[in-house]
């Protein structure tokens, strides 16, 4: 027997250890998968969502009560039970509400916000609404709420009055992004419960007070942006926070799923656009007064002066109460006060951007950590370490929550940890029991395993007693060798019965060498013929020696026929195409090299050439039928081409649908012969149906008579000819034309020259065309224009090389060089006192293929001498994007431009009016300047049409708050007319052409001297 038995116990042990590791790994993965599944759907599942909410509530209570800190402070005035006793039942008479508003105004309240809805006209007094409206209008700092609802509206909207949509429309956001995330928002209102128009028109502002309770009645987040009828509406808290902060409402931008830009701050939103509320304490956290005391003048004016006052309900039985971490019945007006204070002080709760990654990592790592401990440590030690780790994790989460007001969904990682620990503990107990039972059965099974191994081995076994010259052969050995089970002589000569004389000699030579000790192991391959089939075998064995003499030798016999057949097949496939059986590209090229080399050695030029055959429309055939039909077509084409293959030629398949034929002699008839093979239809099978399909081919020819003396040159030439033929001469024979190669060579030379110019760093230069303010004709900046000082061709204008650079992708390197060079020039001029900016054009391929953000950061580093603030530096560089390029992929363009805009760079839309922009997209581009194309400027004097177009663009720019610049200004008449039409900045030959660096620097110096 062979010497494999001693290693078996170690191998078995390794396999068992691997199985145990796999089982523990599966337990960890199961726990992680269950936790991740619950975590991923928690937003849409009330029970899972409440688990996360309850953890946040617990963290809030553990943090403790904190005091409001808004400036101005927030005061609550409630219509409590005492107010109802004095003024009657709800709703409070609107004349009395007007008195309360007047009292607040007289006391100097800074802002007044109602937390009461006014959806219907007063039923008690027909003049009460007008009196309250007059009070709101006179005070001028009162906000009214509305409610956004879903379902069917119970109110009949007065169409003549414009409906509720028109009533609340002025309060909607004017700027928003990520519109596609609206479908993720958990609350989708369908109608609005708005104030009556009389009151709505008198209010300073409005916002919704809609809330969404969890299944436990808690309201843990505010909804600062809700969709209704394709408009985005703010919450009352967001509207009031913007007004109280002095932020222009037109500049407030809602980015769904990200945050709301409120002045210089960003209010974070989670993925479904919710703002999590940081509750301060139970009811009474904010100063609160009775509405009755307000109306009757019993509240000191000092308590109201300069404050934000919220008017809301607070009577017993008021339904506007919500559960909070500190109070199960927190009044809605106090919840509103908390949200406003969060916004004004920035003390909101936020889920950090890295929370999801951390939670996912914890849900994967903690189960692995738990099962690893339980698998390797004693139970008590494992439980202790897990308990300490859990406390540390909770402590870090609470520290993050209390100090930074950041929260993560810690419940799900802990659930994964507990599930993994429980399952791993159960599994380990079971495995310990099984291990004991296996140890008992291992001894009983050892003899049975040995017997089964001998019987079940697919190899033939042999054992040779060398001293007695007797050999034991297993039944499988006889089967492999094709011998009867029990021959007359069972000795080593039995090996040689089925072997040929040559194989017998080789076998005996190898076994004698091993017995003499010349080889460590007997290892011999031989072959036999059985029933007309060739079989290969591998015989292995090792001798046992006593006193240096071999006394025993045992080994195995393995059938390696399948392996040999595979090796032959691999050898065939290495030089042939597996589908058609033709030679492949490598063999074809080697053959061609040998043919050309043999002609050079014979000192004779034997004419030969190459046909390159490309099947027309092969992809369409694959799409129309299927790949099997396409493969069958290729096989049929190969069979037809074989009829043209003489003994001195070679046929090969070079690619999917491309064949090559090397031929000798003249080339006049070769291509036509191939075309003739495609005149007859091919047979294609499709779904039990046989079809006749005509297929054409495009053929390219290159010949040694055209001056080629190498295989590489010949193949390059025929390849170029095929590319040109596929563009213009399909289904014909195309002979290589050296003139066409010259064109390609010229393009390659241009490519190399551009690469050399970029590497040299002194051939490309920037010229600077002035940007002039039309009102006083003062220099305010430059546009950077690239010029190429070619060492052999002198000055090369952009029109000559930029289109090719765009096509080849080299424009990315040119654009990067231009940005960095313009930035360095701006730093040099800034040291002289120049405060203007430099405009740099961007290419479409820079948007599609370059990392513009990384390049922008490099530019900011170059501009560091300008200012310590990155945004202050960036605004001195204006990035120009053509209108047509921006609209080629508006969503992608808007995304990249927004990131550049946020870094501080100015954005200019170039050639405006010549493209096909959609205003629905254009208003979302974060640009500073609209650049009127020179084609409109040139036509200013030829009619009113161009003037009206310019006037329209100027009006659009003014509405959007953008700078208007006109390019191509060539005479004074144009400049005057543009200024009359409202254009602010001009650029053109009237002021100056593109100036080299030295001339532009002199212009800057003269401008600075003039002051």
């Amino acid at each position: 027997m062979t010497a494999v038995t001693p290693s078996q116990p170690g191998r078995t042990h390794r396999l068992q250890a691997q199985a145990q590791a796999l089982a523990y790994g599966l337990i960890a993965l199961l726990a992680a998968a269950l936790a991740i599944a619950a975590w991923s759907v928690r937003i849409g599942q009330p029970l899972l969502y409440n688990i996360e909410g309850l953890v946040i509530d617990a963290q809030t209570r553990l943090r403790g009560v904190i005091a409001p800190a808004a400036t101005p402070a927030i005061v609550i005035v409630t219509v409590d039970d005492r107010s109802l006793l004095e003024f009657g039942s709800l709703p409070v008479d609107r004349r009395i509400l007007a008195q309360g508003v007047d009292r607040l105004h007289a006391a100097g309240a800074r802002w007044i916000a109602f937390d009461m809805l006014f959806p219907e006209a007063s039923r008690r007094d027909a003049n009460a609404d007008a009196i309250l409206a007059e009070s709101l209008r006179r005070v001028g700092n009162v906000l009214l709420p509305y409610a956004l609802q879903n379902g069917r509206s119970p109110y009949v909207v007065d169409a003549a009055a414009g409906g509720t949509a028109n009533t609340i429309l002025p309060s909607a956001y004017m700027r928003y992004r990520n519109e596609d995330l609206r479908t993720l928002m958990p609350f989708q209102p369908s109608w609005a419960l708005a104030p009556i128009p009389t009151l709505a028109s008198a209010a300073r502002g409005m916002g919704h007070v809609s809330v969404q309770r969890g299944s436990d009645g808690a309201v843990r987040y505010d909804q600062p942006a809700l969709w209704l009828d394709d408009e985005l509406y703010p919450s009352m808290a967001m509207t009031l926070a913007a007004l109280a902060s002095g932020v222009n409402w037109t500049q407030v931008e809602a980015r769904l799923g990200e945050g709301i830009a409120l002045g210089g701050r960003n209010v974070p939103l989670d993925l479904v656009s919710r703002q999590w509320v940081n509750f301060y304490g139970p009811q009474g956290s904010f100063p609160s007064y009775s509405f009755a005391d307000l109306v009757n003048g019993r509240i000191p004016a000092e308590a109201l002066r300069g404050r934000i006052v919220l008017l809301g309900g607070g009577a017993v039985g008021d339904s506007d109460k919500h559960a909070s971490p500190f109070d199960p019945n927190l009044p809605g007006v106090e919840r509103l006060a908390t949200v406003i204070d969060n916004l004004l002080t920035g003390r909101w709760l936020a889920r950090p951007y890295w929370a999801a990654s951390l939670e996912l990592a914890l849900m994967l790592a903690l189960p692995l950590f738990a099962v690893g401990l339980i698998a390797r440590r004693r139970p008590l030690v494992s439980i202790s370490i897990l308990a300490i780790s859990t406390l540390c994790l909770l402590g870090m989460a609470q520290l993050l929550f209390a100090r930074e007001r950041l929260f993560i969904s810690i419940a799900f990682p802990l659930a994964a940890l507990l599930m993994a620990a429980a399952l791993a503990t159960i599994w380990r107990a079971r495995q310990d029991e099984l291990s004991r039972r296996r140890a008992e059965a291992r001894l009983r099974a050892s003899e049975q395993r040995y017997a089964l191994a001998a019987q079940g081995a697919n190899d033939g076994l042999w054992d040779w007693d060398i001293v007695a010259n007797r050999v034991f052969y297993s039944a499988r050995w006889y089967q492999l060798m094709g011998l009867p089970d029990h021959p007359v002589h069972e000795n080593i000569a039995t090996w040689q019965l089925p072997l040929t004389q040559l194989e017998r000699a080789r076998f005996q030579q190898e076994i004698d060498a091993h017995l003499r000790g010349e080889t460590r192991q007997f290892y011999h391959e031989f072959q036999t013929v059985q029933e007309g089939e060739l079989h290969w075998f591998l015989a292995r064995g090792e001798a046992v020696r006593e006193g240096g003499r071999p006394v025993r030798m045992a080994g195995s016999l393995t059938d390696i026929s399948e392996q040999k057949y595979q090796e032959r097949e691999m050898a065939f496939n290495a030089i042939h195409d597996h589908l058609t059986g033709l030679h492949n590209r490598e063999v074809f090229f080697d053959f061609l090299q040998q043919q050309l080399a043999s002609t050079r050695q014979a000192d004779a030029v034997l004419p030969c050439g190459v046909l390159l055959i490309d099947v027309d429309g092969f992809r369409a055939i694959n799409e129309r039928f299927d790949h099997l039909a396409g493969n069958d077509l290729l096989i049929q084409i190969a069979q037809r081409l074989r009829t043209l293959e003489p003994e001195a030629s070679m046929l090969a398949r070079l690619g999917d649908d491309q064949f090559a034929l090397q031929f000798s002699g003249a080339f006049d008839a070769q291509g036509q012969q191939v075309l003739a093979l495609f005149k007859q239809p091919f047979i294609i099978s499709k779904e039990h149906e046989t079809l006749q399909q005509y297929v054409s081919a495009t053929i390219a020819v290159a010949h040694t008579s055209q001056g080629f003396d190498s295989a590489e040159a010949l193949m390059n030439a025929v390849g170029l000819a095929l590319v040109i033929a596929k563009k213009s001469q399909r289904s014909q024979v195309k002979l290589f034309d050296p003139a066409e190669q010259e064109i390609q060579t010229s393009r390659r030379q241009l490519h190399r020259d551009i690469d050399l110019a970029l590497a040299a760093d002194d051939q490309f230069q920037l010229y600077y065309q002035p940007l002039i303010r039309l009102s006083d004709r003062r220099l305010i900046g430059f546009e950077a224009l690239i010029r190429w000082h070619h060492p052999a061709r002198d000055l090369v204008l952009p029109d000559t090389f930029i289109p090719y650079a765009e096509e080849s992708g080299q424009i990315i390197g040119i654009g990067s060089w231009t940005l960095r060079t313009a930035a360095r020039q701006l730093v040099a001029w800034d040291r002289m006192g120049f405060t203007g900016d430099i405009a740099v054009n961007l290419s479409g391929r820079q948007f599609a293929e370059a990392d513009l953000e990384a390049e922008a950061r490099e530019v900011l580093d170059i501009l560091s001498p300008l200012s310590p603030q990155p945004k202050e530096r960036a605004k001195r560089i204006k990035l120009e994007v053509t209108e047509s390029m921006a609209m080629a992929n508006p969503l992608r363009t808007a995304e990249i431009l927004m990131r550049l805009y946020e870094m501080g760079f100015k954005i200019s839309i170039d050639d405006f009016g010549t493209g096909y922009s959609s205003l629905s997209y254009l208003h979302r581009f974060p640009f500073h300047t609209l650049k009127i194309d020179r084609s409109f400027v040139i036509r200013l004097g030829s009619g009113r049409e161009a003037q009206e177009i310019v006037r329209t663009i100027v009006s659009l720019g003014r509405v959007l708050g953008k700078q208007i610049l006109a390019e191509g200004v060539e005479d004074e008449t144009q400049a005057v007319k543009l200024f009359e039409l409202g254009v602010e900045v001009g650029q053109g030959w009237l002021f100056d052409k593109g100036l080299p660096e030295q001339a532009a620097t002199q212009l800057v110096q003269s401008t600075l001297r003039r002051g």
Side-chain angles (χ1 to χ4, degrees):
M1 302 298 291
T2 56
V4 296
T5 305
S7 65
Q8 191 66 27
R11 182 170 179 270
T12 302
H13 179 74
R14 288 196 302 273
L15 291 175
Q16 290 176 351
Q18 291 171 0
Q20 289 291 335
L22 177 62
Y24 281 115
L26 291 176
I27 288 173
L29 290 178
L30 176 61
L34 291 174
I36 291 172
W39 171 78
S40 61
V41 300
R42 68 190 186 283
I43 294 177
Q45 301 296 324
L47 178 60
L48 297 177
Y49 166 73
N50 282 345
I51 292 175
E52 185 176 39
L54 290 172
V55 172
I56 296 175
D57 291 348
Q59 289 183 282
T60 304
R61 288 191 294 270
L62 185 60
R63 179 210 63 197
V65 175
I66 58 177
T71 303
I74 299 172
V75 174
I76 298 174
V77 176
T78 60
V79 179
D80 54 5
D81 295 331
R82 190 150 53 86
S83 301
L84 296 182
L85 288 174
E86 289 196 29
F87 304 127
S89 60
L90 293 174
V92 178
D93 187 273
R94 294 181 184 176
R95 289 177 180 269
I96 299 175
L97 291 177
Q99 295 176 26
V101 171
D102 291 337
R103 287 279 189 182
L104 291 172
H105 180 60
R110 185 172 177 182
W111 293 99
I112 305 168
F114 278 90
D115 191 21
M116 308 174 186
L117 298 174
F118 302 98
E120 298 179 302
S122 175
R123 298 179 180 179
R124 300 177 180 176
D125 185 348
N127 295 323
D129 291 330
I131 293 172
L132 178 56
E134 177 57 30
S135 177
L136 301 182
R137 191 174 290 105
R138 182 174 58 256
V139 171
N141 62 350
V142 183
L143 283 75
L144 293 181
Y146 53 85
L148 300 180
Q149 310 285 340
N150 54 17
R152 184 177 177 84
S153 172
Y155 293 89
V156 177
V157 178
D158 184 2
T164 58
N166 289 341
T167 302
I168 66 173
L169 185 60
S171 70
Y173 286 101
M174 300 183 69
R175 298 163 61 94
Y176 52 84
R177 287 194 290 156
N178 303 339
E179 192 174 331
D180 54 325
L181 296 181
R182 58 187 292 186
T183 56
L184 298 180
M185 299 171 70
F187 182 54
Q188 303 284 339
S190 56
W191 60 281
L193 189 62
I196 60 175
T198 301
L199 298 180
S201 61
R204 174 67 181 275
M206 290 186 289
H208 77 79
V209 290
S210 303
V211 296
Q212 190 176 18
R213 289 186 173 90
S215 60
D216 58 353
V219 178
R220 297 185 175 90
Y221 57 85
D222 196 44
Q223 302 173 103
L226 286 178
W227 278 97
L228 177 66
D229 296 335
D230 293 326
E231 294 291 343
L232 192 64
Y233 291 94
S235 63
M236 169 68 81
M238 184 59 66
T239 303
L240 184 53
L243 292 172
S245 302
V247 177
N248 185 347
W249 182 251
T250 62
Q251 300 303 313
V252 177
E253 182 178 64
R255 298 187 290 270
L256 297 184
E258 297 179 15
I260 295 179
L262 187 63
R265 293 181 299 170
N266 180 67
V267 180
L269 301 179
D270 63 12
L271 182 63
V272 293
S273 304
R274 303 176 299 190
Q275 174 202 339
W276 290 79
V277 181
N278 183 13
F279 288 98
Y280 298 153
Q283 182 177 354
S285 297
F286 293 87
S288 181
Y289 301 95
S290 172
F291 182 70
D293 291 341
L294 172 67
V295 174
N296 292 318
R298 294 193 289 264
I299 303 176
E302 292 77 12
L304 302 173
R305 184 174 299 115
R307 305 294 201 271
I308 296 174
V309 181
L310 305 182
L311 287 169
V316 174
D318 192 332
S319 62
D320 188 20
K321 294 181 183 296
H322 318 289
S324 77
F326 299 101
D327 194 332
N329 292 295
L330 186 72
V333 67
E334 189 142 351
R335 184 206 68 85
L336 178 61
T338 303
V339 178
I340 296 171
D341 192 88
N342 283 179
L343 293 173
L344 292 177
T345 62
R347 296 193 299 171
W348 47 69
L349 294 182
R351 177 176 168 81
Y353 69 91
W354 42 261
S357 299
L358 176 62
E359 292 159 10
L360 187 60
L362 288 174
M363 283 185 282
L364 291 172
L366 290 178
L368 291 172
F369 173 64
V371 299
L373 276 176
I374 293 171
R376 292 177 173 82
R377 305 266 184 173
R378 289 178 295 174
L380 183 59
V381 175
S382 301
I383 293 173
S384 300
I385 295 176
L386 289 176
I388 295 172
S389 301
T390 301
L391 291 175
C392 291
L393 185 61
L394 289 172
M396 288 188 289
Q398 183 62 27
L399 186 65
L400 188 68
F401 182 88
R403 289 193 175 182
E404 304 296 332
R405 297 182 296 279
L406 300 177
F407 67 89
I408 60 176
S409 297
I410 195 66
F412 296 96
L414 289 179
L417 176 67
L418 293 175
M419 281 190 291
L423 292 173
T425 301
I426 295 171
W427 178 258
R428 175 165 179 172
R430 179 177 179 275
Q431 291 306 112
D432 288 344
E433 175 63 21
L434 291 177
S435 179
R436 182 184 63 80
R437 295 180 181 179
R438 281 196 299 267
E440 295 174 353
R442 196 172 293 125
L443 183 59
R444 296 192 302 268
S446 60
E447 292 184 359
Q448 298 175 1
R449 186 178 304 113
Y450 180 81
L452 289 173
Q455 294 174 8
N458 193 42
D459 290 349
L461 304 179
W462 55 278
D463 186 357
W464 180 20
D465 183 347
I466 299 175
V467 177
N469 195 23
R470 299 286 294 179
V471 184
F472 163 77
Y473 298 106
S474 69
R476 178 60 176 161
W477 187 92
Y478 287 111
Q479 182 182 357
L480 291 175
M481 293 294 287
L483 296 174
D485 289 348
H486 299 287
V488 176
H489 301 287
E490 288 188 346
N491 52 38
I492 200 63
T494 309
W495 274 102
Q496 303 178 10
L497 294 178
L499 304 183
T500 64
Q501 184 175 357
L502 177 60
E503 289 290 353
R504 290 177 186 176
R506 293 179 61 244
F507 175 85
Q508 193 64 47
Q509 182 181 358
E510 291 289 340
I511 205 165
D512 288 345
H514 180 67
L515 292 176
R516 289 193 300 268
E518 296 175 4
T519 59
R520 293 185 59 185
Q521 188 181 41
F522 172 63
Y523 189 97
H524 178 63
E525 291 185 8
F526 63 92
Q527 59 186 16
T528 67
V529 178
Q530 300 177 17
E531 297 180 355
E533 292 186 4
L534 188 61
H535 291 263
W536 284 269
F537 296 98
L538 171 62
R540 288 175 290 188
E542 188 169 352
V544 177
R545 302 175 188 274
E546 293 180 1
R549 295 178 56 190
V551 296
R552 191 183 191 90
M553 184 173 179
S556 63
L557 179 69
T558 306
D559 187 346
I560 59 172
S561 300
E562 185 65 27
Q563 175 184 339
K564 288 294 183 179
Y565 283 122
Q566 290 177 357
E567 290 175 357
R568 285 192 170 188
E569 184 178 359
M570 290 176 62
F572 179 85
N573 289 338
I575 62 173
H576 291 83
D577 172 49
H578 71 280
L579 177 64
T580 62
L582 300 178
H583 288 98
N584 60 21
R585 176 185 292 272
E586 290 74 15
V587 174
F588 182 85
F589 190 80
D590 289 344
F591 179 80
L592 187 59
Q593 283 183 315
Q594 293 171 11
Q595 288 289 97
L596 295 177
S598 64
T599 62
R600 288 194 296 269
Q601 291 172 0
D603 198 22
V605 180
L606 298 178
C608 68
V610 174
L611 284 175
L612 204 55
I613 306 152
D614 190 272
V615 181
D616 296 332
F618 182 70
R619 179 179 297 178
I621 293 173
N622 269 340
E623 292 173 354
R624 178 184 172 189
F625 299 100
D626 54 38
H627 288 287
L628 292 178
N631 288 344
D632 187 54
L633 173 62
L634 293 174
I635 292 172
Q636 293 182 57
I637 293 174
Q639 291 171 346
R640 293 191 185 183
L641 291 174
R642 279 196 178 98
T643 63
L644 297 179
E645 184 181 20
E647 293 182 359
S649 300
M650 173 171 281
L651 178 63
R653 182 185 177 204
L654 304 188
D656 286 346
D657 59 343
Q658 196 171 96
F659 299 85
L661 177 65
Q662 189 273 331
F663 62 91
S664 300
F667 57 81
D668 297 341
Q670 299 293 338
Q672 296 302 325
Q673 290 178 2
V674 174
L675 281 181
L677 297 178
F678 288 84
K679 297 299 184 180
Q680 297 300 320
F682 294 86
I683 305 301
I684 295 181
S685 298
K686 179 183 179 184
E687 297 178 355
H688 311 294
E689 182 181 3
T690 300
L691 304 175
Q692 289 188 342
Q693 178 72 33
Y694 283 91
V695 178
S696 63
T698 301
I699 301 168
V701 185
H703 199 265
T704 54
S705 62
Q706 295 175 301
F708 302 112
D709 59 356
S710 71
E712 182 177 6
L714 196 59
M715 291 301 295
N716 287 339
V718 75
L720 175 61
L722 182 63
V723 170
I724 296 172
K726 293 292 285 187
K727 293 180 179 179
S728 59
Q729 291 180 283
R730 281 176 173 257
S731 306
Q732 298 182 36
V733 179
K734 168 68 176 177
L735 180 64
F736 169 73
D737 186 351
E740 293 170 340
Q741 187 178 35
E742 291 180 4
I743 296 174
Q744 295 298 318
T745 301
S746 175
R747 290 170 62 86
R748 286 194 295 270
Q749 183 62 46
L750 179 59
H751 192 103
R752 286 193 294 269
D753 287 351
I754 293 175
D755 284 343
L756 291 174
L758 286 170
D761 204 27
D762 62 353
Q763 294 187 27
F764 286 128
Q765 295 182 10
L766 288 186
Y767 280 45
Y768 301 91
Q769 188 169 31
L771 305 178
I772 304 298
R773 188 165 55 209
L774 294 180
S775 60
D776 56 5
R777 302 301 174 90
R778 186 170 182 82
L779 174 71
I780 63 172
F782 293 93
E783 179 179 358
L785 306 173
I786 192 167
R787 298 292 186 266
W788 184 6
H789 287 272
H790 193 282
R793 300 165 59 187
D794 199 15
L795 182 64
V796 181
L797 296 179
D799 290 347
T800 303
F801 66 91
I802 289 296
Y804 176 77
E806 285 276 3
E807 177 186 338
S808 65
Q810 293 168 299
I811 193 66
I812 295 174
I814 294 174
S816 178
W817 178 88
T818 302
L819 266 175
R820 293 195 301 270
T821 304
R824 294 189 185 98
Q825 185 62 60
L826 184 60
V827 171
W829 285 342
D830 181 78
R831 293 193 183 100
M832 298 167 55
F834 179 65
T835 59
D837 52 32
I838 294 180
V840 179
N841 290 282
L842 294 181
S843 159
R845 295 196 71 159
Q846 285 178 278
F847 273 82
E849 301 173 25
D851 189 349
L852 274 179
E853 288 185 76
E855 293 187 10
R857 286 191 288 270
E858 291 182 16
V859 170
L860 287 179
D861 291 339
I862 296 173
L863 297 175
S864 58
L866 272 60
S867 169
Q869 300 297 326
K871 287 192 175 182
E872 289 298 316
R873 307 175 213 159
K875 71 180 183 180
R876 300 283 297 279
I877 293 291
K878 183 180 293 183
L879 304 176
E880 293 198 354
V881 182
T882 64
E883 180 187 12
S884 58
M885 183 184 75
M887 295 311 301
N889 188 348
L891 294 178
R892 170 72 173 161
T893 304
E895 178 185 355
I896 296 176
L897 290 180
M898 181 54 69
R899 290 201 288 267
L900 296 174
Y901 174 84
E902 290 171 348
M903 294 172 72
F905 290 95
K906 292 181 179 179
I907 309 297
S908 175
I909 304 297
D910 199 2
D911 300 340
F912 186 75
T914 63
Y916 49 90
S917 63
S918 167
L919 293 181
S920 64
Y921 281 106
L922 183 63
H923 83 281
R924 301 186 187 181
F925 291 161
F927 61 93
H928 300 79
T929 303
L930 281 179
K931 196 169 184 180
I932 301 174
D933 187 69
R934 67 187 304 274
S935 60
F936 300 122
V937 176
I938 293 173
R939 299 200 306 268
L940 282 176
S942 58
R944 294 186 55 81
E945 180 183 357
Q947 296 182 24
E948 292 304 319
I949 292 174
V950 172
R951 183 178 285 111
T952 300
I953 296 175
V954 171
S955 299
L956 174 62
R958 286 177 175 172
V959 169
L960 297 177
K962 309 302 179 184
Q963 182 189 71
I964 306 299
L965 182 151
E967 63 178 349
V969 183
E970 298 182 357
D971 57 48
E972 185 63 29
T973 303
Q974 292 172 346
V976 172
K977 176 57 68 177
L978 289 169
F979 180 70
E980 292 174 353
L981 292 172
V983 177
E984 303 163 76
V985 182
Q987 173 186 358
W989 287 8
L990 172 64
F991 309 114
D992 235 324
K993 299 180 180 180
L995 302 173
E997 176 189 344
Q998 183 177 0
T1001 301
Q1002 292 174 354
L1003 177 60
V1004 169
Q1005 291 171 338
S1006 64
T1007 301
L1008 294 175
R1009 284 195 297 269
R1010 291 198 304 269

